[in-house]
Amino acid sequence: KKVTFQDWIRKFTTLLIHKLDNTFHKELFLPCSLVFKHDIQLALFVLPHILTCVLCNDSQDVHSEISQEIMTVMTQFSSTKDVSINLAESAYMCSQAIFSALDHLTAWIDYKLSLKKSKNPDTQCKIEGVQAFVKSLPKDVLSLGAFRCQAYTRSLMYIESFLNENRGSLDSNILEFIQKLYFNLCEPDGVAGVAALRTSQSSLSDQILQYQSKGDHRNAAACYERAIELDSDEVSHREGLLRCMMKQGELTSVLSHVNGLQTEKPQWMQKLNVFRIEASWKLGQWDDLEKFLKMDPNTVGNWNVTLGKLLITAKQTDYEGFISQLKRVRNEQMGPLSATSSERHSYHSCYEYVVRLHMLQELEEGVMLLKNLTSSVGDSDANSLISSWQGRLKATQKSFKVQEDILSLRRVVLGFAESKFEREIGMYWLKSAKIARRTGHMQTAHSFLLNASDFFLPDLCLEKAKWMKNQGNSHEALLTLQQSVCKQWPDVSLHEEKLTGSSTHSKALLLIGQWMEDTAHCDTQTVLKQYKSVVSILPESEDGHFHLGKYYDHLMSVLVSDRPTKTSEFLHFIIRHYGSALEFGNKYIFQCMPRMLALWLDFGSKVPDNVRKSQERTTKVALTALNDLMSKLKDKLPPYQFFIAFSQLISRICHPNSEVFSRLEAIILKLVANYPQQSLWMMVAVNKSTHPDRQNRCRQILEKAKHDLPHIEKLIADIVKLCDRLVDLCNKQVEPSKQNSMDKICRGLIRLTASSDFSSIMVPLQSSLTVTLPAGHGVHPDHDPFPAFQPTIWKFDDKVEVLPSLQRPKKVVVYANDGKQYILMCKPKDDLRKDSRLMEFNSVVNKCLRKDPDCRSRHLYIRTYAVVPLNEECGVLEWVSNTHGLRNILQRLYQERGVHLSGRKLKEMADAAKSDPLKLRELFVSRLLPLHPPIFGEWFLRSFPDPSAWYFSRLAYARTVAVMSMVGYVLGLGDRHGENILFDSTSGDCVHVDFNCLFNRGETFDVPEVVPFRLTQNMVHAMGVAGYEGIFRRSCEATMKVMRQQCEPLLCVLKTFIHDPLVEWGKVKGRTASSEATNEKAIKIVKDMEDRLQGKYKSRGLPLSVEGQVHTLIKDATDIDNLSRMYIGWAPYL
């Protein structure tokens, strides 16, 4: 136990060299042992290779000796708190060296197995020997060893492997251990998921973990107090209570508590003194800090004690001693940092030490600034440092623990010269309160607010009111904020307010208006007046204009939706304020732009060109005013804002009102002029429409574009020709093969791209077709929403791969002008307009998820790719690389175990049941499930052997499956068999393809689909011990919550189907020349989706809560009766 890491690595590696029985290996590595004394990095490098060579021999004695050494390293310290920091560091580094060697063994085995099976029995024997050694190591011991050296992802991987090997071992101790792992990984969803597995009542320690993971330190403290009552002689309960008090900001109480225990339990002071030291420096009680440090001068290894020593040295203006001590502390952080960073993907594991170095850097900067304040340093240098610190904080993880540690240190450092930095210290208190409130640490936030109240900050009233609102005191929060506004801005004239541009005042007024609306606290006119006061004080307020327009929109839908003349009055206000919001920023672009266009176009479709009645004349005048307003907005707003609704615009080109169409045409022409490549790719399907009106209107726009923009005339002609050739390629009947030649299948495409005057046409990629909004506030009128360099088509590869699926899609390779190759899939006999609209819908969902704090912290998103319809029967899709179908993955894993049922055999078994629910259930439960035990989790272990990569890939898997499950349910997405769900072998992401079965079409199949999404046993198995509890369930709830909140912008994307009917929906309402299609089935489908977003289950009964809706969906998706009734080809047993 007293051997240092350097001695151990030298001795262990040398010992292994002498165990080598291969002469060549021995001669190769033996000279290296002479270098180990001078360079242990060489020993670290060769250890995995030497270990592999040693294990390749068949000596069981050697295997046992090595296994014993590994177990000794894993168990050398039951707790590193009981040893010196140097020995603890050695323990960590010895363990990390072992883990790196084990990773190498796993990689070596995978590599050997990936090669063609060797006919040499000796080689096969070596592989089996190494496999047997790795398998013989007890995974539970390795897991505990990894936990002690803070390798939490590795520990979780080992404990789950142990549970898979020893089914039925999931007792309460293991559940508590896994909860601790998720707690240390800062994954509260994981903690909640494991808690849901418990069948017995939670113990105090379980409850403490759950409360702490959610940031509920008050209830955690209550549990600790109960634990103290039960066992008052256990010091760990006191430590836990003190930690909770520290987290809640009760620093004075911590000092009193420890001081009270000093006489009662003097033997505890060595462990509890560290809390007094931390509380003292955070409170700035320097005399007490010096006294507590002297009481225990030998305490090392505790970070807060180390900071206390640095701060007291700086406070005493011993700058030379401070720099010397700072250098030593930095070096102390490098040991654990280097040990942790020896693993790949280890940034998450070593982030604690990165944050410590971050804090040391700011401590040094702050102390050096204060040192120079008395000399030549001016306000500009101090302002520069504060500005730099703001940027540094933004770069850190959005975690309360991380950011609060940094902010508390800043407050203390600037407190050395409080009179000069009084405002900054107050702002840091307020920032801490805001972070604590947003992360649910409400008691802590209140403590910080009390501290911030000493600094008389204008924003304090806002944060205090928000805290009250989060506590559930909506009425009190509203009254408090109103009183604060009257007190802080009593008699400010409108002119003075405009000059000062008080954003804080306008924010407060806006918040009052929102809370008045939400709580129905005031009448309509009062709320309107409140919102108007915001834009009066701050005319460029993006938030003010949006909420005012939204309130008018709400009033119109409630009060006058059935009165056209009154509707027109509201419409002008709504569109004007939505337009003003867009004029000042992009924060609400996906709410404003689609809604604004929909209101204008829908109102215009109700106004005929030839008016006769007086009521029609009134609406005609109103429409003229709206048209003029839209024309002004077209000139005022940057074109990229309109481009986010391009599909909506192009779906309405058959608008019946000529005046509206002329404005609509002008907007589309502006987009074609600014973004010709993207616009033309999105118009080609309309140009080939089978509906004559749509085709003629599109061609009319293109002809006008050629006339007005002669420089793109050739581009338009070439892209139309290119799409014609791609349609020919899609429809060409070719047998599945990898040897087809483009020159034989579609020579016209080769000739077109080989032409010397062929235009530079952009490759249709997701990155080139997706609008990127400008960063930061403001509208940025000159912003380019697309990449500066967009790959253009140079030529097509001659090799064409025809895939063996039903439609015979063709996989082609495009050579671009950037020297790279891009893969596209040309798919015939499928209307890809649905896929294209769904990708747009998913893109809007992604943007909504990124804006929501809960979803952003969980990294929720949908994997999307480019889909370009060429006409109503075929199109081009961007190929998604590195993906594998669920069915292929599982079939390969089952075949390795000798499990294989042919499609014919499965069909015979299903036919024998004759659609009898009882027989189907019996077949499913008694034959299919036992024959196919869940094994999908093994694919993640093989694809991601590195523990951190495995952990994050599995998180990405569970979360992307959850998001797409909720989105798929809302859209009625079916046919989710194993070939339509892919998994990325580089990230674990779930990627859905083939969206032909939308809008609950699966319910009309011969064997109706009765599950809302795919959540079969293998899908659940890959989510880990907790299954669909925890991470999956919470991600589903967060996604559904955002989709409900953003119902309107999401439905605006889907409502394009009403005016762009799908071929399979058949005939639409009769139309005349230049009339607009309206599909009644599409209207019903959009209504059904709206019901789902409101929580109505199967469009009946009262709406469910988000949690209730998710619970019901998961229950239906995993129900044995439902799964047994699914079509056998859907493979519900997999």
Side-chain angles (χ1 to χ4, degrees):
K1 286 189 175 181
K2 294 185 179 180
V3 176
T4 64
F5 169 69
Q6 290 79 1
D7 290 339
W8 177 83
I9 191 70
R10 280 195 291 263
K11 290 178 180 179
F12 185 50
T13 310
T14 304
L15 176 68
L16 289 176
I17 291 173
H18 289 291
K19 298 286 184 186
L20 291 166
D21 62 353
N22 184 296
T23 306
F24 172 74
H25 291 158
K26 205 162 194 174
E27 291 177 352
L28 175 66
F29 290 116
L30 194 57
C32 297
S33 61
L34 302 174
V35 186
F36 294 165
K37 293 181 181 179
H38 310 284
D39 184 9
I40 63 165
Q41 293 300 320
L42 179 62
L44 269 173
F45 176 74
V46 298
L47 173 63
H49 304 280
I50 297 171
L51 181 60
T52 307
C53 295
V54 172
L55 291 174
C56 282
N57 71 47
D58 202 22
S59 172
Q60 292 303 313
D61 292 339
V62 173
H63 285 208
S64 298
E65 193 176 340
I66 295 172
S67 178
Q68 183 62 39
E69 179 66 21
I70 291 174
M71 290 301 100
T72 303
V73 171
M74 292 294 109
T75 58
Q76 58 184 319
F77 299 123
S78 60
S79 174
T80 52
K81 293 179 182 179
D82 302 329
V83 298
S84 70
I85 184 172
N86 292 329
L87 287 181
E89 183 180 318
S90 291
Y92 293 157
M93 298 188 74
C94 291
S95 299
Q96 291 292 353
I98 291 295
F99 292 142
S100 297
L102 293 178
D103 287 346
H104 178 82
L105 291 177
T106 305
W108 182 85
I109 293 168
D110 290 343
Y111 171 72
K112 290 294 183 182
L113 292 176
S114 68
L115 301 175
K116 292 182 179 178
K117 289 189 176 180
S118 174
K119 295 180 181 180
N120 186 346
D122 183 53
T123 303
Q124 197 64 30
C125 183
K126 289 178 179 179
I127 297 172
E128 290 173 359
V130 178
Q131 274 184 312
F133 173 82
V134 173
K135 193 173 182 180
S136 70
L137 296 174
K139 300 296 190 298
D140 53 340
V141 178
L142 291 176
S143 179
L144 285 169
F147 181 82
R148 290 188 188 112
C149 61
Q150 299 176 11
Y152 300 119
T153 56
R154 182 182 293 277
S155 181
L156 182 63
M157 186 172 75
Y158 282 143
I159 197 64
E160 291 205 2
S161 297
F162 170 77
L163 292 172
N164 286 331
E165 294 171 3
N166 303 273
R167 297 186 184 276
S169 303
L170 197 61
D171 57 28
S172 59
N173 291 330
I174 289 182
L175 285 176
E176 183 178 352
F177 178 65
I178 297 173
Q179 274 191 310
K180 288 180 181 177
L181 286 172
Y182 277 120
F183 175 75
N184 284 287
L185 287 166
C186 301
E187 187 50 68
D189 292 350
V191 176
V194 177
L197 299 180
R198 293 188 179 277
T199 54
S200 58
Q201 186 175 357
S202 298
S203 64
L204 276 175
S205 58
D206 300 333
Q207 293 177 52
I208 288 169
L209 273 177
Q210 290 178 57
Y211 288 133
Q212 288 184 329
S213 68
K214 295 184 292 186
D216 189 352
H217 297 293
R218 173 185 284 184
N219 281 324
C223 291
Y224 275 121
E225 287 173 351
R226 175 58 180 160
I228 291 170
E229 291 175 12
L230 297 174
D231 185 2
S232 60
D233 293 326
E234 178 55 55
V235 66
S236 62
H237 298 333
R238 298 282 181 177
E239 290 179 296
L241 177 61
L242 290 168
R243 274 193 293 271
C244 289
M245 293 167 70
M246 292 291 296
K247 293 288 186 185
Q248 293 179 84
E250 298 173 1
L251 304 178
T252 307
S253 299
V254 168
L255 287 174
S256 302
H257 192 95
V258 180
N259 289 336
L261 287 169
Q262 187 165 3
T263 53
E264 183 184 343
K265 300 283 186 180
Q267 68 274 21
W268 289 357
M269 283 306 102
Q270 187 176 0
K271 291 185 175 181
L272 301 186
N273 192 46
V274 295
F275 293 101
R276 292 196 296 189
I277 292 173
E278 181 182 354
S280 297
W281 70 254
K282 286 185 175 179
L283 288 169
Q285 296 181 3
W286 305 110
D287 293 339
D288 286 343
L289 175 60
E290 192 171 5
K291 179 178 69 174
F292 296 143
L293 287 171
K294 287 179 180 178
M295 288 176 62
D296 195 9
N298 297 320
T299 301
V300 293
N302 185 283
W303 171 243
N304 285 296
V305 173
T306 301
L307 282 180
K309 291 179 177 179
L310 281 168
L311 288 165
I312 198 70
T313 307
K315 178 66 176 175
Q316 294 167 351
T317 65
D318 180 9
Y319 297 118
E320 186 176 335
F322 171 79
I323 294 298
S324 174
Q325 196 173 346
L326 183 68
K327 185 176 180 180
R328 180 178 56 78
V329 173
R330 277 196 173 117
N331 289 334
E332 286 177 0
Q333 308 312 310
M334 297 311 296
L337 184 64
S338 62
T340 311
S341 63
S342 62
E343 295 185 5
R344 290 174 296 170
H345 308 286
S346 60
Y347 186 70
H348 182 269
S349 304
C350 63
Y351 191 71
E352 175 186 356
Y353 300 100
V354 174
V355 172
R356 289 182 180 184
L357 293 173
H358 178 117
M359 294 171 69
L360 292 175
Q361 174 66 22
E362 293 192 356
L363 175 58
E364 182 181 16
E365 291 174 349
V367 170
M368 290 301 102
L369 176 71
L370 297 172
K371 175 186 175 183
N372 297 322
L373 276 178
T374 54
S375 57
S376 58
V377 177
D379 290 340
S380 60
D381 296 294
N383 293 336
S384 176
L385 179 64
I386 298 299
S387 176
S388 170
W389 282 2
Q390 288 177 350
R392 287 170 62 84
L393 190 68
K394 290 178 181 178
T396 60
Q397 282 184 1
K398 301 299 182 285
S399 155
F400 171 72
K401 181 182 183 305
V402 169
Q403 295 195 332
E404 174 49 27
D405 286 349
I406 294 170
L407 290 170
S408 62
L409 182 62
R410 289 181 182 180
R411 288 193 294 267
V412 173
V413 173
L414 296 182
F416 291 156
E418 184 174 348
S419 59
K420 188 170 184 64
F421 296 103
E422 186 175 351
R423 181 181 176 278
E424 284 75 15
I425 294 172
M427 291 302 295
Y428 287 144
W429 279 118
L430 201 58
K431 180 73 173 175
S432 292
K434 185 177 182 179
I435 297 170
R437 174 180 57 81
R438 285 183 169 179
T439 51
H441 299 68
M442 303 309 294
Q443 184 66 25
T444 311
H446 185 234
S447 176
F448 291 151
L449 281 171
L450 292 175
N451 283 286
S453 61
D454 296 336
F455 296 90
F456 307 104
L457 300 167
D459 290 346
L460 179 64
C461 64
L462 289 173
E463 191 55 42
K464 188 175 180 181
K466 289 177 181 178
W467 178 84
M468 288 181 179
K469 182 79 160 49
N470 281 24
Q471 289 286 83
N473 302 322
S474 301
H475 180 70
E476 185 181 350
L478 178 58
L479 292 179
T480 301
L481 188 55
Q482 287 175 318
Q483 291 168 3
S484 299
V485 168
C486 294
K487 184 178 179 181
Q488 284 187 224
W489 296 278
D491 297 309
V492 181
S493 69
L494 183 62
H495 176 68
E496 290 173 347
E497 193 66 40
K498 285 183 178 178
L499 290 177
T500 57
S502 174
S503 61
T504 303
H505 190 185
S506 65
K507 285 178 185 177
L509 294 176
L510 177 63
L511 206 55
I512 291 171
Q514 288 178 263
W515 290 351
M516 282 179 173
E517 181 183 354
D518 293 343
T519 60
H521 186 75
C522 300
D523 61 86
T524 299
Q525 290 302 320
T526 304
V527 177
L528 270 178
K529 183 179 179 183
Q530 186 68 31
Y531 280 135
K532 287 178 180 179
S533 67
V534 178
V535 295
S536 298
I537 286 175
L538 200 64
E540 64 274 16
S541 171
E542 179 185 2
D543 297 295
H545 283 291
F546 169 71
H547 285 283
L548 180 54
K550 186 181 176 185
Y551 192 62
Y552 272 122
D553 198 351
H554 173 66
L555 291 179
M556 181 184 71
S557 62
V558 172
L559 301 178
V560 297
S561 57
D562 56 344
R563 296 158 64 189
T565 52
K566 287 290 183 182
T567 299
S568 61
E569 297 176 13
F570 278 92
L571 277 177
H572 194 275
F573 289 115
I574 296 168
I575 293 176
R576 191 183 81 192
H577 288 293
Y578 277 166
S580 297
L582 292 170
E583 186 181 349
F584 299 121
N586 296 296
K587 186 176 179 181
Y588 304 102
I589 187 170
F590 292 100
Q591 289 93 330
C592 293
M593 182 58 75
R595 180 62 177 163
M596 182 174 73
L597 292 172
L599 290 172
W600 168 53
L601 294 168
D602 288 348
F603 181 75
S605 64
K606 299 171 185 175
V607 182
D609 280 334
N610 300 315
V611 296
R612 297 176 182 176
K613 300 177 182 178
S614 59
Q615 184 177 352
E616 290 179 347
R617 292 193 191 95
T618 305
T619 54
K620 176 77 171 178
V621 171
L623 179 61
T624 302
L626 288 180
N627 288 338
D628 293 340
L629 180 57
M630 289 304 302
S631 295
K632 291 176 182 177
L633 289 174
K634 183 208 72 163
D635 298 330
K636 189 181 292 185
L637 300 180
Y640 70 82
Q641 290 189 330
F642 282 100
F643 197 85
I644 67 115
F646 190 86
S647 294
Q648 184 180 1
L649 292 167
I650 205 69
S651 73
R652 305 296 294 267
I653 59 171
C654 288
H655 200 282
N657 189 285
S658 58
E659 290 186 10
V660 171
F661 173 71
S662 67
R663 269 66 169 194
L664 179 63
E665 182 183 50
I667 293 172
I668 295 174
L669 285 170
K670 181 178 181 180
L671 297 179
V672 173
N674 283 276
Y675 315 116
Q677 300 268 6
Q678 289 79 9
S679 301
L680 292 172
W681 272 118
M682 296 177 75
M683 291 176 70
V684 290
V686 186
N687 188 49
K688 299 291 182 182
S689 175
T690 56
H691 299 288
D693 297 337
R694 294 180 62 76
Q695 186 184 84
N696 292 336
R697 282 277 177 96
C698 183
R699 292 183 176 179
Q700 175 185 332
I701 293 173
L702 291 178
E703 288 301 319
K704 188 166 286 191
K706 290 178 184 179
H707 178 269
D708 297 344
L709 309 163
H711 63 283
I712 65 168
E713 182 176 358
K714 181 69 167 59
L715 173 65
I716 295 173
D718 282 350
I719 205 166
V720 170
K721 290 178 185 176
L722 176 64
C723 291
D724 289 339
R725 301 291 79 76
L726 288 173
V727 170
D728 294 341
L729 177 62
C730 288
N731 293 327
K732 186 72 174 180
Q733 297 294 323
V734 185
E735 289 301 313
S737 170
K738 295 185 179 181
Q739 305 299 323
N740 291 294
S741 168
M742 179 73 79
D743 189 51
K744 294 180 180 178
I745 296 176
C746 190
R747 184 172 295 177
L749 185 59
I750 298 291
R751 289 177 176 174
L752 177 65
T753 55
S755 175
S756 59
D757 62 344
F758 181 67
S759 302
S760 296
I761 296 177
M762 177 189 77
V763 183
L765 304 172
Q766 167 100 5
S767 56
S768 299
L769 290 168
T770 304
V771 171
T772 302
L773 296 175
H777 300 291
V779 72
H780 303 274
D782 299 325
H783 169 70
D784 186 353
F786 301 106
F789 180 82
Q790 299 161 19
T792 58
I793 298 171
W794 173 40
K795 67 174 184 178
F796 285 83
D797 188 49
D798 187 58
K799 181 181 175 182
V800 178
E801 181 180 347
V802 181
L803 303 179
S805 59
L806 181 64
Q807 288 93 354
R808 300 283 192 267
K810 299 166 186 71
K811 183 179 173 183
V812 299
V813 177
V814 177
Y815 291 92
N817 65 333
D818 59 356
K820 297 179 181 178
Q821 299 176 22
Y822 299 93
I823 303 175
L824 302 176
M825 185 171 74
C826 299
K827 190 173 183 181
K829 302 175 184 176
D830 195 359
D831 188 354
L832 292 184
R833 285 180 299 168
K834 281 190 290 188
D835 297 62
S836 177
R837 291 287 188 275
L838 188 55
M839 284 300 113
E840 289 180 36
F841 182 84
N842 290 346
S843 296
V844 176
V845 170
N846 279 338
K847 290 176 173 67
C848 295
L849 293 175
R850 279 197 294 270
K851 284 186 176 182
D852 183 77
D854 286 342
C855 295
R856 189 168 59 245
S857 66
R858 289 181 171 90
H859 305 289
L860 299 185
Y861 56 89
I862 304 172
R863 279 286 295 270
T864 57
Y865 48 89
V867 180
V868 179
L870 298 174
N871 58 25
E872 291 160 358
E873 292 183 343
C874 59
V876 174
L877 299 96
E878 181 180 2
W879 186 264
V880 185
S881 301
N882 304 310
T883 53
H884 308 272
L886 176 64
R887 187 191 296 273
N888 292 334
I889 292 171
L890 295 177
Q891 281 181 343
R892 189 164 58 250
L893 291 172
Y894 282 123
Q895 283 171 3
E896 290 177 8
R897 289 161 175 75
V899 177
H900 176 67
L901 281 179
S902 65
R904 179 181 298 176
K905 179 66 176 174
L906 287 168
K907 190 174 186 304
E908 289 174 0
M909 295 167 70
D911 289 343
K914 297 180 180 178
S915 301
D916 184 333
L918 293 177
K919 291 182 178 179
L920 288 171
R921 180 187 170 89
E922 177 68 19
L923 169 67
F924 187 74
V925 174
S926 302
R927 299 188 63 184
L928 294 177
L929 288 183
L931 193 61
H932 299 87
I935 56 173
F936 187 33
E938 290 187 25
W939 180 78
F940 285 89
L941 288 170
R942 294 185 184 184
S943 302
F944 308 95
D946 177 76
S948 294
W950 167 83
Y951 173 71
F952 288 111
S953 67
R954 209 177 62 171
L955 277 182
Y957 158 74
R959 286 167 172 162
T960 50
V961 168
V963 175
M964 201 58 209
S965 295
M966 294 300 100
V967 171
Y969 161 70
V970 169
L971 296 170
L973 177 61
D975 200 26
R976 296 299 89 195
H977 56 72
E979 291 171 356
N980 284 343
I981 300 179
L982 313 179
F983 296 98
D984 192 326
S985 59
T986 63
S987 66
D989 285 352
C990 175
V991 185
H992 284 248
V993 297
D994 192 354
F995 302 106
N996 192 42
C997 185
L998 274 176
F999 313 126
N1000 293 88
R1001 184 183 164 201
E1003 295 177 357
T1004 65
F1005 289 173
D1006 292 339
V1007 180
E1009 294 193 351
V1010 291
V1011 294
F1013 45 80
R1014 188 178 192 95
L1015 193 60
T1016 52
Q1017 58 168 355
N1018 271 295
M1019 300 281 285
V1020 175
H1021 177 261
M1023 293 174 186
V1025 173
Y1028 54 70
E1029 296 295 346
I1031 294 168
F1032 177 81
R1033 184 185 290 273
R1034 295 289 178 86
S1035 299
C1036 287
E1037 290 170 357
T1039 303
M1040 184 59 76
K1041 178 183 174 185
V1042 167
M1043 291 177 71
R1044 286 194 184 188
Q1045 290 171 347
Q1046 304 297 333
C1047 179
E1048 190 58 46
L1050 294 176
L1051 289 176
C1052 276
V1053 177
L1054 297 173
K1055 285 177 181 176
T1056 57
F1057 284 126
I1058 296 173
H1059 307 286
D1060 187 10
L1062 301 181
V1063 172
E1064 67 186 55
W1065 285 354
K1067 294 181 179 180
V1068 296
K1069 284 184 178 180
R1071 70 176 88 199
T1072 58
S1074 299
S1075 69
E1076 188 172 37
T1078 304
N1079 191 296
E1080 291 179 351
K1081 188 171 183 180
I1083 294 172
K1084 181 184 181 302
I1085 283 171
V1086 172
K1087 177 66 171 65
D1088 290 342
M1089 286 185 283
E1090 197 168 358
D1091 287 345
R1092 292 187 203 112
L1093 286 172
Q1094 291 172 357
K1096 294 180 182 178
Y1097 186 62
K1098 296 183 179 178
S1099 296
R1100 62 174 182 264
L1102 294 173
L1104 298 171
S1105 66
V1106 169
E1107 293 78 11
Q1109 187 177 22
V1110 169
H1111 176 76
T1112 303
L1113 293 174
I1114 292 176
K1115 183 180 175 183
D1116 280 359
T1118 56
D1119 183 74
I1120 294 294
D1121 291 328
N1122 287 346
L1123 289 170
S1124 64
R1125 289 159 51 201
M1126 292 293 290
Y1127 174 57
I1128 197 71
W1130 193 84
Y1133 52 87
L1134 291 182

